[in-house]
Amino acid sequence: MEDTAPLQRMLFDKMKGNFPPHLSLVDEVSYTLDISTDSAYRRIRGEKILDLGEIKKLCKKYRISMDTLFQVSDNQLMFSHVKVDDGHFKVKAYLEMLLERARTFHTTQDSEMIVIANDITIFQLLQFPELAAFKLFFWQKSSLGFDGFKDQQFSLEDIDETVLNLSKQIVREYNKISTIEIVGIDAVESFLRQIHYYLELGYFKKDSDALVILEKIEELVSHFRKEAEVGYKFNHGTENPSGARGNFTMYYNELFVIDGIVMVAVGGQKHTYIGTGPLNFIWTADEKFYDSKKIWAGKLMRSSILVSDFSEKERNIYFKKIEKRIHKFRAMLD
């Protein structure tokens, strides 16, 4: 019992960091293990030792890596894989999963998210339903090659109301999280190439939709610029935005090529997410892996250019580069 108790306490401590503070630990243990409240209390106090099956149930539900509990070798890591499969992928279910994670991310005041991306992240896209709809369609049809999209054309008229509502909820949660983003110059450029590609192949049901998407890209860039200027995130379309300065820190790096890394520290928990392709990612709760990646991210920040808050000159240079590319693309379409 003396050997097992620390592991059990560690598990319960990690669980508390993985669900909102208004939920009761004893209720969660009781419900997950299908035991009485009294039995749950006995396990939490260490009077009753969890068996391996119970540990597995709790780890699976609350996304806790068992290797961190059993102190597996530093050279061995346990990752979970969120994989999108043709025939099983549902946009609604995927967004519900993102919403659940976003809600978990801001449950405590000391939460922090570090995003390293060469592409526009799904959280950013969801502020503009037209952009999110196009990107989700592109990923399924062209990147993942789903059979059901083979003969489909993209249309803004197909945006689902349920998806719109979920998108708004995700953005609200995302904007509450203190975020550091390290971005490149190619994010918008790749989006423009995708629009051009779809126009050439006739994948737009109406060519006018391409112009609408281009306008929304311009709005997105303008929104980023304003967030970088004030130093915090806010919902697009807010007339008098407010927020806590420092909620949003943005760096620009011309050289890095690694894409799709998200690091989240919340409630004492440290999660690292790594993109493995459109909509797919692996993630781990291994703290040592997180700490090593955060050291690397810190070095990357020092070699990057800060464009948020008071860095007006650097911000203008960065966004003018992006705006110039958009204007050039618009002139080509015209």
Side-chain angles (χ1 to χ4, degrees), residues 21 104-112 176-178 247 265-267:
T104 301
F105 291 165
H106 86 277
T107 53
T108 60
Q109 293 183 349
D110 63 345
S111 61
E112 179 185 70
K176 297 174 185 177
I177 307 165
S178 179
N247 167 269
V266 55

Side-chain angles (χ1 to χ4, degrees), residues 52-230:
L52 189 58
E54 290 174 330
I55 293 174
K56 182 179 178 181
K57 283 183 181 179
L58 294 172
C59 285
K60 184 176 181 180
K61 180 172 181 180
Y62 297 102
R63 303 191 299 273
I64 297 169
S65 172
M66 290 181 69
D67 61 332
T68 61
L69 297 178
F70 291 103
Q71 297 182 335
V72 175
S73 166
D74 291 344
N75 295 324
Q76 297 178 359
L77 297 177
M78 182 177 291
F79 281 86
S80 297
H81 191 192
V82 175
K83 184 180 179 182
V84 171
D85 293 315
D86 192 2
H88 298 91
F89 176 70
K90 302 294 182 186
V91 171
K92 179 176 178 292
Y94 190 86
L95 293 180
E96 287 173 341
M97 179 269 293
L98 288 182
L99 178 59
E100 177 192 354
R101 290 176 185 265
R103 281 174 172 164
T104 301
F105 291 165
H106 86 277
T107 53
T108 60
Q109 293 183 349
D110 63 345
S111 61
E112 179 185 70
M113 176 187 289
I114 300 175
V115 179
I116 302 171
N118 272 331
D119 205 349
I120 302 172
T121 69
I122 187 67
F123 290 111
Q124 297 161 342
L125 288 172
L126 290 172
Q127 300 220 45
F128 297 82
E130 298 87 354
L131 299 183
F134 175 79
K135 203 71 169 182
L136 285 165
F137 184 93
F138 180 88
W139 284 332
Q140 292 175 86
K141 180 180 177 70
S142 301
S143 298
L144 298 170
F146 285 0
D147 289 338
F149 283 75
K150 186 176 181 180
D151 299 318
Q152 284 196 37
Q153 291 177 299
F154 175 78
S155 174
L156 290 173
E157 296 175 355
D158 296 334
I159 299 178
D160 186 88
E161 191 67 30
T162 303
V163 171
L164 288 176
N165 292 331
L166 279 170
S167 299
K168 292 177 183 178
Q169 293 180 63
I170 293 170
V171 170
R172 280 198 296 268
E173 300 298 328
Y174 165 71
N175 285 344
K176 297 174 185 177
I177 307 165
S178 179
T179 307
I180 298 172
E181 300 195 9
I182 308 174
V183 301
I185 198 68
D186 294 330
V188 171
E189 184 75 18
S190 65
F191 214 130
L192 298 179
R193 287 197 298 267
Q194 290 160 10
I195 295 173
H196 186 227
Y197 178 75
Y198 266 40
L199 279 170
E200 284 193 323
L201 295 183
Y203 287 166
F204 282 104
K205 191 172 290 186
K206 294 190 299 184
D207 286 353
S208 58
D209 282 353
L211 294 175
V212 173
I213 293 171
L214 182 59
E215 290 171 2
K216 293 301 176 181
I217 291 176
E218 291 176 311
E219 288 183 35
L220 175 64
V221 172
S222 177
H223 182 67
F224 280 165
R225 185 170 191 155
K226 184 62 178 178
E227 286 184 326
E229 179 183 337
V230 298

Side-chain angles (χ1 to χ4, degrees), residues 24 26-27 30 35-45:
S24 163
V26 67
D27 289 341
S30 174
I35 57 178
S36 67
T37 302
D38 181 63
S39 294
Y41 270 122
R42 291 178 60 210
R43 286 163 171 78
I44 293 171
R45 290 194 295 260

